Amino acid sequence: MARAEKNEQIREERQAAILKEARRLFVQRGLSATKISDIAAAAGLSHGLVYHYFPTKDAIYEAIVARAIEPVLEATAAARTGSGSATDRLRALTVELLRTVEQEPDTMVLIVQATCTSTPSHVDALIADFGEKIFGNLVALLVEGQRAGEVADADPEEIAFLYFAAVQGIALTLAMPRRRQLGLPKPESLLRFITA
Amino acid sequence: MARAEKNEQIREERQAAILKEARRLFVQRGLSATKISDIAAAAGLSHGLVYHYFPTKDAIYEAIVARAIEPVLEATAAARTGSGSATDRLRALTVELLRTVEQEPDTMVLIVQATCTSTPSHVDALIADFGEKIFGNLVALLVEGQRAGEVADADPEEIAFLYFAAVQGIALTLAMPRRRQLGLPKPESLLRFITA
DNA sequence: GTCTATACGTAGATAGAC
DNA sequence: GTCTATCTACGTATAGAC
């Protein structure tokens, strides 16, 4: 393997390791309580080297939030434009969101944290944009469902609001310290907000 | 006024001012991003004097979280033991919780933050205890409602989970940066989770 | 690419004068 | 009770050697 190639590989591995460990720590302790040296130790490199791969701690955080947002945004976009009835797509979306909450709890907790705590301004912008898009996708989907008579005849903005609030609240509750073991709610239960 | 009396009065005023400004700042920026000197400046006293009234920053935070939890806990306890049908009490509780979210958003946001970010261990214990009690009160109330045939015949633990998740998610959404203006959901909408 | 050493700033907390 | 000055610790980020 050529040297440049090998370096590129090292670079990717290091960055991935930093992002992975930083994400875990940010979720556990929050942004400002996580030190660069914690991240470095967890990823198995010196703290100075972290700055070889990322310019600042905020940049690491921003990259992590952006990656967390992406799949959730894609899921709602896919539900909005996919094929099948609106109800089917809402159901599939709900299953997908609950699956994410269960199998990758960090993803949603990170979004929740970034939403309710002040963050670097770039991240604030990411979160605001995220909220707008999620909301837009859900409302469009709900309106389509209402036209087909499948979705309750209430204000679609209100339903979208409640629905996504519940999803985030579920992620939050599962992140509670020393919480009792609670199973995830069933998709049907969450869909009671919506169905006609 | 006697000197001792006057000092006592000063003490109470100072403590109240510190708690009030600290709460605002903690909600806005989070615990570790809020400096003692920020609090002191906002409350109009020197940063050294803050330590005359509270031993540590964590102690201030703990006092604030404890005060935020109290009214929410009381509301669910009152709903559990109050008079009237279970449905009536659930409805009144929902109105009360949504009123709190709207009129004192900081209260719920503070709880949400304390839940999803690592906090001093005393606060973790407060939050865990809070979760247990809220959950217990809601489940008891729901079971009573089910006996009367007023509440949907689903797992009461699941309904309680979803209900409180939604409440917290609503508070969270309203705290979003640069969010579009959204009205609060109507109590009826939230109660759709519950009613038979 | 990697590490160690360090500069620089700042935050929590204390001491002592008024 | 109140302030200013200060101690101490630590975290980010950089520099320079290997």
Side-chain angles (χ1 to χ4, degrees):
Chain A
M1 192 182 316
R3 197 161 59 222
E5 216 175 307
K6 186 169 179 183
N7 282 348
E8 177 60 20
Q9 188 190 338
I10 288 175
R11 186 167 190 85
E12 278 169 19
E13 284 172 5
R14 289 295 206 191
Q15 285 186 331
I18 290 169
L19 288 176
K20 181 183 168 189
E21 295 303 323
R23 193 173 94 133
R24 193 176 52 76
L25 290 166
F26 285 147
V27 167
Q28 218 168 74
R29 312 181 187 175
L31 171 59
S32 52
T34 301
K35 325 300 172 199
I36 289 283
S37 51
D38 296 335
I39 297 170
L45 38 81
S46 72
H47 81 267
L49 192 51
V50 173
Y51 287 97
H52 187 69
Y53 292 108
F54 292 93
T56 63
K57 190 169 78 159
D58 283 356
I60 300 175
Y61 186 69
E62 190 181 334
I64 288 171
V65 172
R67 281 165 194 238
I69 282 176
E70 200 184 342
V72 181
L73 215 46
E74 269 176 21
T76 60
R80 176 179 186 168
T81 60
S83 60
S85 74
T87 303
D88 285 348
R89 281 176 279 148
L90 270 167
R91 191 169 198 298
L93 172 63
T94 304
V95 170
E96 169 69 10
L97 289 175
L98 289 176
R99 194 201 60 76
T100 301
V101 167
E102 184 177 30
Q103 292 182 5
E104 303 163 52
D106 285 2
T107 298
M108 286 300 298
V109 172
L110 204 54
I111 293 173
V112 170
Q113 282 181 351
T115 302
C116 73
T117 312
S118 111
T119 53
S121 60
H122 280 96
V123 177
D124 264 14
L126 278 179
I127 292 289
D129 182 63
F130 169 76
E132 293 287 332
K133 285 182 176 154
I134 290 276
F135 195 72
N137 287 338
L138 284 177
V139 168
L141 190 51
L142 289 168
V143 167
E144 191 188 334
Q146 286 179 330
R147 287 217 192 87
E150 299 166 345
V151 166
D153 188 28
D155 178 2
E157 298 209 342
E158 185 184 22
I159 306 178
F161 180 1
L162 264 174
Y163 175 84
F164 197 62
V167 170
Q168 291 191 102
I170 291 165
L172 179 69
T173 304
L174 293 178
M176 262 192 172
R178 300 194 267 136
R179 71 170 199 287
R180 49 192 298 176
Q181 281 307 326
L182 289 172
L184 269 190
K186 292 191 289 289
E188 288 76 20
S189 308
L190 190 48
L191 286 167
R192 289 195 68 194
F193 269 144
I194 292 177
T195 44
Chain B
M1 190 180 318
R3 197 159 61 221
E5 214 176 307
K6 186 168 179 184
N7 282 348
E8 177 60 22
Q9 188 191 339
I10 287 174
R11 187 167 190 84
E12 279 169 18
E13 284 172 6
R14 290 296 206 191
Q15 284 186 332
I18 291 169
L19 289 175
K20 180 183 169 189
E21 296 303 323
R23 192 172 94 133
R24 193 174 53 76
L25 289 165
F26 285 146
V27 167
Q28 216 168 76
R29 312 181 187 175
L31 171 59
S32 51
T34 301
K35 329 297 174 200
I36 288 284
S37 49
D38 296 336
I39 299 171
L45 39 79
S46 73
H47 81 267
L49 192 51
V50 173
Y51 287 96
H52 188 68
Y53 292 107
F54 292 93
T56 63
K57 189 170 79 161
D58 283 356
I60 300 175
Y61 186 69
E62 191 182 334
I64 288 171
V65 172
R67 281 165 193 239
I69 282 175
E70 200 184 342
V72 181
L73 216 46
E74 269 176 22
T76 59
R80 177 180 185 167
T81 60
S83 60
S85 74
T87 303
D88 286 347
R89 280 176 280 147
L90 270 167
R91 192 169 199 297
L93 173 63
T94 305
V95 170
E96 168 69 11
L97 288 175
L98 289 177
R99 194 201 60 77
T100 301
V101 168
E102 185 176 30
Q103 292 182 5
E104 303 164 52
D106 285 2
T107 298
M108 287 299 298
V109 172
L110 204 53
I111 294 173
V112 169
Q113 282 182 350
T115 302
C116 74
T117 312
S118 111
T119 54
S121 60
H122 279 97
V123 176
D124 264 13
L126 278 178
I127 291 289
D129 182 63
F130 169 76
E132 294 287 332
K133 284 181 176 155
I134 289 275
F135 195 72
N137 288 337
L138 284 177
V139 168
L141 190 51
L142 289 168
V143 168
E144 191 187 334
Q146 286 180 329
R147 287 216 191 87
E150 301 166 343
V151 166
D153 188 28
D155 178 3
E157 299 208 342
E158 186 184 22
I159 305 178
F161 181 2
L162 263 175
Y163 175 83
F164 197 62
V167 171
Q168 291 191 102
I170 290 164
L172 180 69
T173 305
L174 292 179
M176 262 193 171
R178 299 194 267 137
R179 70 172 199 285
R180 49 192 296 177
Q181 281 306 326
L182 289 171
L184 269 189
K186 291 191 290 288
E188 288 77 19
S189 308
L190 189 48
L191 287 166
R192 289 195 68 193
F193 269 144
I194 290 176
T195 44

